[in-house]
Amino acid sequence: MQRVKLTINGKEVEAPVGSTILEAAEMIGVDIPRLCYDPDLSPMGACRLCVVEVKGNRLLPAACVTPVTEGMVVETESPSVVEARKTILELLVANHPLDCMTCDKMGDCKLAEYCYRYNVKDSPFTGEKHHYAIDDSNPFIIRDLNKCILCGACVRACEEMTGQDNLSYLYRGFHRKATTAGDVPYIESDCVFCGQCVAVCPTGALTEKSMAGQARRWEMEKVRTTCPFCGTGCNFDLAVKDGRIIGVLSAEDAPVNGRMLCVKGRFAWDFIYNEKRLTTPLIKKDGQFVEAT
Amino acid sequence: MTNPINEITEEAELLFLIGTNATEAHPVIGYKMRQAARRGAKMIVCDPRRIDLVDEADYWLQIKPGTDIPLLNGLMHIIIKEGLEDKEFIAERTENYEALKETVERYTPEYVSELTGVPVEDLYAVARLYATTDKAMIFYTLGITEHICGTRNVMSIANLAMLTGHLGRPGTGVCPMRGQNNVQGACDMGALPNVYPGYQAVTNDEIREKFEKAWGVSLSPKVGLKIPEMFDAAHEGKVKAMYILGENPVLTDPNANHVRAALEKLEFLVVQELFLTETAEYADVILPAASFAECDGTFTNTERRVQRVRKAIEPIPGQANWQTICQMATRVGFPMHYEHPSEIWDEMASLTPSMAGINYNRLEKGSLQWPCTTDDHPGTPYLHKGKFTRGLGLFQPADHVPPAEMPDREYPFLLSTGRILYHYNVTTPYSSGIAELWDKEMAEIHPEDAERLGLETGQQVKIVSRRGEVISAVKVTERVQPGMIWMSFHHSATPTNALTSDALDPTTGTGEYKVCAVRIEKLPEAANA
Ligand code: SF4
Ligand code: SF4
Ligand code: SF4
């Protein structure tokens, strides 16, 4: 494979032709913040949080969509880059509920992570906030689009992973929304409840209903296992809190399925706690089952 | 599967799906097929129903149920007539080609079109496309095997792949997708009447002696009974006791009334289960089972990939299933003691050459696909590279076998059964979320038939076959052909298998779930109020 040489933060890197600045940076352990970028989805270059400074370029290109070139000199945390990122984050939190203390995604939220990294507490921008009704009309997924940052990961996951094409952007400007056709609740849409959109959402906009209020992300013990339903052999993590399973989380390194699952693997595990589970041996006596002694 | 799942998106240029509704039965494989098609791979779907993947397909062959062999023979007929067969592959790697040629000679496009209902042009187009595409994979599931001619269907698929050299390379192959999570693993472990783990024949003296020595007991050289034979034998009073683990034959086996009567006759029945199932009702003793989240172990998926299952919570019945089995064995006179499932694996692997290289330490680092014969063997993603297990690939020509029971005046509808997305056999109804979404059977019926009978979606009807009857709601949809009804078998309120045929494939003992004749009776208004 042909490779090009470039410099990132003063370090030399050799990256395959066609890789992006973001990928080249990852090769030497430089973490460029990103919200809309997802290695499993097509690049979009929309959130612009991954902007970097490239010597000789007056604009700040988005690292996730800019290919490396020979001799390129890149700075990923220069003052102008940091300032640009702060502004982007401030604009995002200007229209965000900021109820992080009770948000189920806390601990695994990219928005919160980067606000912490760039010390964004609130926003100098004031303006209208969304007051979308929370969609919890289905048994599995809670959708709180007030927390949505329009990264489009859910739209791409639904189309590119599952191929269900259930989500797209509706409306314009401030009212722009990543939602179902006709903006109906999931339960009334063509959703097949694979939960891929939940697995890729970087914020608390899409979360697992079974986990609501059950545990902070860092308290969850993750146990890697294999799906008990069909012969595909998907792997995932069971999320366990205090000896009780509270949900299923995608495992990106799962050999067969990556982060993809279907409704059964992701959401049907709760049969485990069905009250009809048999817990003790039974013996039939005169046509009736009685507990064995 | 001869080839791994990941080749669907990474290698294949053509996917030929026959009798498999992947987006519902194997959803993640279905997603990958869809991804491949959208990235430009060609797709052929052969199914009597308009399944979801038809939307992605280049060709949809809407065959009449039970006509897979004529279709496949017809494709081979065209391929040979047009000289598109892989002559080198046939000469070097196969035998009995002349017999195949002779059989498929009779399956002219016109004759096949008449039998299958597929237009002649489509037969030509599909035959040429499959034969001339370098990397073409075939997928099938129960739509192929659950017929009285299931074994011959499978042979015909293998014939087609061999004829065109689509085996033994990445992006090719014949891929039966195994239904349940671990049906592959259970078969691999010898949960079959004729083999020990790794498909080592019980009738082979040398193999039997190896196991006798390892276990310190004498073993029977006789092949045991297949599941339907067991129920027949129970009927006749020859089988007197059964120990059923994690199966619910009353709901899932064809001709449920026969199964019930057989269980009734047993002198002693033990059922180890999660729930008080329809089958467990017949038990004398019920042992509570632990779920996948409560046990350590392995599952082997449809591509022979052995993967770890890990205990996440304490077993709800107090112990893991293997512990219960060990105690049973010990009580009936064979002391069985293991500290951990890895010891059971190691014992099995020490007696099974194809698994000898797999152990829990290696699985901790990642899954492995058998055959994996030594500690440094990387596993085998695809089979038949350069050579078939038996040496030369044997063409086994097959002729059309009509289904055992076809619609007639008394029972004018053809009933076919299968799985739906929201359920997996019979455990999923115990998931509260799933139950909320899909809480009852919806028998699919074509709008023409519905109109003639005056039926609307949601209405309850009685569906009657020669063997039994069930009540079900109907769903009016063009997914099915006129004259056909399609049902799943996940709900105990509508035990679809009370209807299905007890005709069996003579080789495998698999029931013909895919075709039987039924009639529909409207219920009095009150029943639908
Ligand atoms: S759950 Fe699956 S089908 Fe439904 S919107 Fe999300 S990605 Fe699409
Ligand atoms: S719901 Fe989540 S994934 Fe979808 S656009 Fe909003 S933030 Fe992104
Ligand atoms: S998640 Fe769905 S596709 Fe994957 S193994 Fe489980 S049931 Fe099959």
Side-chain angles (χ1 to χ4, degrees), chain B residues 346-378:
Chain B
D346 291 341
E347 176 187 312
M348 181 283 303
S350 72
L351 296 165
T352 309
S354 58
M355 314 266 174
I358 303 181
N359 57 53
Y360 274 45
N361 282 338
R362 285 189 79 185
L363 291 177
E364 218 38 58
K365 290 181 215 113
S367 57
L368 284 164
Q369 284 169 281
W370 68 265
C372 176
T373 46
T374 56
D375 284 349
D376 52 5
H377 190 292

Side-chain angles (χ1 to χ4, degrees), chain A residues 139-140 159-165 187 191-194 196 223-236 238 240 243-245 255-257 260-264 267-268 270-274 276-284 289, chain B residues 5-6 24-29 31-32 34-35 38 178-181 273-275 280-286 288-289 291-294 299 301-303 305 307-310 312-313 316-317 367 421-424 427-428 430-434 437:
Chain A
F140 310 119
E159 183 184 326
E160 296 169 15
M161 290 178 159
T162 308
Q164 191 63 19
D165 309 343
I187 193 80
C191 182
V192 292
F193 297 103
C194 63
Q196 259 68 278
V223 182
R224 177 67 50 88
T225 194
T226 304
C227 179
F229 295 109
C230 89
T232 303
C234 295
N235 279 191
F236 50 71
L238 286 169
V240 183
R244 203 179 156 82
I245 294 165
V256 176
N257 57 305
M260 295 189 286
L261 291 171
C262 80
V263 61
K264 292 174 287 247
F267 296 119
D270 68 333
F271 74 85
I272 294 170
Y273 293 119
N274 187 298
K276 297 202 181 109
R277 273 288 297 273
L278 297 166
T279 53
T280 175
L282 302 174
I283 296 177
K284 199 180 261 166
F289 285 113
Chain B
I5 294 168
N6 288 337
E24 301 215 42
H26 298 84
V28 167
I29 294 180
Y31 307 158
K32 285 180 182 255
R34 209 185 251 142
Q35 290 168 11
R38 291 186 182 184
R178 306 302 298 260
Q180 287 100 323
N181 63 326
E273 254 302 350
L274 294 166
F275 299 102
E281 298 278 3
Y282 290 85
D284 297 287
V285 174
I286 302 177
S291 78
F292 80 108
E294 298 150 42
F299 290 155
N301 81 347
T302 182
E303 49 172 3
R305 186 186 293 278
Q307 308 193 94
R308 276 298 314 275
V309 179
R310 291 186 182 83
I313 55 169
I316 287 176
S367 57
L421 170 66
Y422 289 100
H423 284 302
Y424 206 85
T427 308
T428 38
Y430 293 99
S431 157
S432 60
I434 298 273
L437 281 190

Side-chain angles (χ1 to χ4, degrees), chain B residues 126-283:
Chain B
V126 164
R128 289 172 187 153
L129 182 63
Y130 178 73
T132 57
T133 304
D134 181 42
K135 291 182 171 180
M137 301 176 83
I138 305 184
F139 298 86
Y140 67 87
T141 50
L142 306 177
I144 281 293
T145 50
E146 285 180 354
H147 287 283
I148 46 165
C149 53
T151 307
R152 275 170 280 190
N153 281 346
V154 171
M155 288 172 186
S156 300
I157 292 176
N159 291 343
L160 177 63
M162 288 195 293
L163 180 68
T164 49
H166 283 134
L167 279 168
R169 289 181 289 132
T172 66
V174 172
C175 302
M177 294 188 286
R178 306 302 298 260
Q180 287 100 323
N181 63 326
N182 197 34
V183 65
Q184 178 77 46
C187 294
D188 295 349
M189 291 306 110
L192 291 169
N194 56 339
V195 290
Y196 293 115
Y199 305 94
Q200 304 178 76
V202 297
T203 49
N204 180 316
D205 293 337
E206 210 175 303
I207 285 168
R208 197 178 53 254
E209 278 157 23
K210 175 172 79 175
F211 281 91
E212 286 180 335
K213 218 173 125 205
W215 292 339
V217 289
S218 80
L219 297 165
S220 165
K222 282 195 295 197
V223 170
L225 301 177
K226 301 186 187 97
I227 293 172
E229 292 169 348
M230 289 187 208
F231 290 122
D232 289 344
H235 243 282
E236 292 160 19
K238 286 192 200 141
V239 163
K240 296 188 167 56
M242 278 194 200
Y243 178 14
I244 301 179
L245 292 89
E247 282 243 357
N248 189 4
V250 169
L251 209 55
T252 59
D253 283 21
N255 196 356
N257 292 337
H258 179 71
V259 173
R260 284 176 191 274
L263 293 175
E264 204 78 80
K265 278 234 167 141
L266 290 174
E267 281 170 25
F268 186 59
L269 174 63
V270 184
V271 174
Q272 190 169 337
E273 254 302 350
L274 294 166
F275 299 102
L276 188 61
T277 60
E278 293 74 8
T279 302
E281 298 278 3
Y282 290 85

Side-chain angles (χ1 to χ4, degrees), chain B residues 478-494:
Chain B
E478 284 176 355
R479 277 165 74 95
V480 289
Q481 303 175 5
M484 177 176 170
I485 297 178
W486 189 91
M487 296 172 78
S488 74
F489 49 80
H490 308 287
H491 296 283
S492 47
T494 305

Side-chain angles (χ1 to χ4, degrees), chain A residues 45-261:
Chain A
C47 78
R48 306 209 47 84
L49 199 70
C50 69
V51 290
V52 292
E53 199 169 314
V54 174
K55 203 172 162 190
N57 190 339
R58 272 190 313 115
L59 302 171
L60 300 179
C64 73
V65 289
T66 308
V68 292
T69 56
E70 185 67 37
M72 198 179 226
V73 178
V74 180
E75 285 296 331
T76 69
E77 299 286 337
S78 71
S80 58
V81 165
V82 169
E83 196 190 302
R85 286 193 191 140
K86 277 188 123 159
T87 308
I88 292 166
L89 291 168
E90 282 165 358
L91 281 166
L92 287 174
V93 300
N95 175 24
H96 197 88
L98 294 180
D99 60 354
C100 308
M101 52 287 274
T102 54
C103 180
D104 279 298
K105 203 57 176 278
M106 193 58 193
D108 193 22
C109 170
K110 286 238 168 80
L111 183 62
E113 181 186 332
Y114 296 136
C115 283
Y116 181 78
R117 177 156 153 186
Y118 293 102
N119 195 25
V120 173
K121 291 189 166 53
D122 52 19
S123 184
F125 305 99
T126 51
E128 229 181 318
K129 287 208 180 214
H130 291 298
H131 295 284
Y132 295 129
I134 291 173
D135 172 13
D136 62 353
S137 55
N138 70 82
F140 310 119
I141 298 170
I142 301 179
R143 238 171 123 221
D144 180 357
L145 292 189
N146 300 301
K147 295 181 180 175
C148 172
I149 55 167
L150 291 172
C151 72
C154 56
V155 177
R156 285 172 286 157
C158 190
E159 183 184 326
E160 296 169 15
M161 290 178 159
T162 308
Q164 191 63 19
D165 309 343
N166 189 47
L167 300 173
S168 64
Y169 298 102
L170 291 187
Y171 318 120
R172 300 200 168 268
F174 175 75
H175 301 287
R176 197 164 137 92
K177 213 171 167 188
T179 186
T180 58
D183 201 11
V184 296
Y186 268 17
I187 193 80
E188 290 164 35
S189 72
D190 287 338
C191 182
V192 292
F193 297 103
C194 63
Q196 259 68 278
C197 51
V198 183
V200 299
C201 180
T203 72
L206 298 172
T207 51
E208 297 84 355
K209 204 177 210 175
S210 68
M211 297 190 202
Q214 296 301 308
R216 310 307 317 237
R217 295 277 158 165
W218 55 85
E219 298 171 325
M220 294 176 191
E221 183 200 343
K222 291 183 189 173
V223 182
R224 177 67 50 88
T225 194
T226 304
C227 179
F229 295 109
C230 89
T232 303
C234 295
N235 279 191
F236 50 71
D237 287 335
L238 286 169
V240 183
K241 165 81 190 301
D242 296 337
R244 203 179 156 82
I245 294 165
I246 58 171
V248 157
L249 295 167
S250 281
E252 50 197 73
D253 54 346
V256 176
N257 57 305
R259 286 190 288 174
M260 295 189 286
L261 291 171

Side-chain angles (χ1 to χ4, degrees), chain B residues 386-526:
Chain B
K387 193 161 121 343
F388 293 106
T389 320
R390 73 179 287 275
L392 290 178
L394 179 67
F395 282 109
Q396 292 173 289
D399 268 304
H400 180 40
V401 187
E405 183 184 77
M406 285 300 276
D408 52 24
R409 283 179 70 155
E410 217 184 327
Y411 298 93
F413 283 94
L414 187 151
L415 170 71
S416 193
T417 68
R419 303 185 196 291
I420 61 165
L421 170 66
Y422 289 100
H423 284 302
Y424 206 85
N425 286 7
V426 287
T427 308
T428 38
Y430 293 99
S431 157
S432 60
I434 298 273
E436 197 178 318
L437 281 190
W438 200 278
D439 62 350
K440 60 173 188 283
E441 182 66 46
M442 295 287 261
E444 296 183 356
I445 179 168
H446 191 272
E448 275 172 29
D449 296 322
E451 198 186 302
R452 198 161 33 79
L453 296 171
L455 295 175
E456 281 169 29
T457 294
Q459 212 165 332
Q460 299 275 339
V461 296
K462 191 197 273 183
I463 301 175
V464 187
S465 81
R466 288 192 173 80
R467 291 153 296 275
E469 55 182 59
V470 300
I471 307 281
S472 173
V474 295
K475 181 177 177 186
V476 181
T477 167
E478 284 176 355
R479 277 165 74 95
V480 289
Q481 303 175 5
M484 177 176 170
I485 297 178
W486 189 91
M487 296 172 78
S488 74
F489 49 80
H490 308 287
H491 296 283
S492 47
T494 305
T496 303
N497 282 320
L499 303 171
T500 44
S501 161
D502 51 4
L504 300 177
D505 179 315
T507 316
T508 58
T510 302
E512 186 156 60
Y513 296 81
K514 292 296 171 188
V515 182
C516 76
V518 297
R519 69 166 178 262
I520 298 177
E521 290 175 11
K522 279 184 85 167
L523 293 177
E525 289 301 318

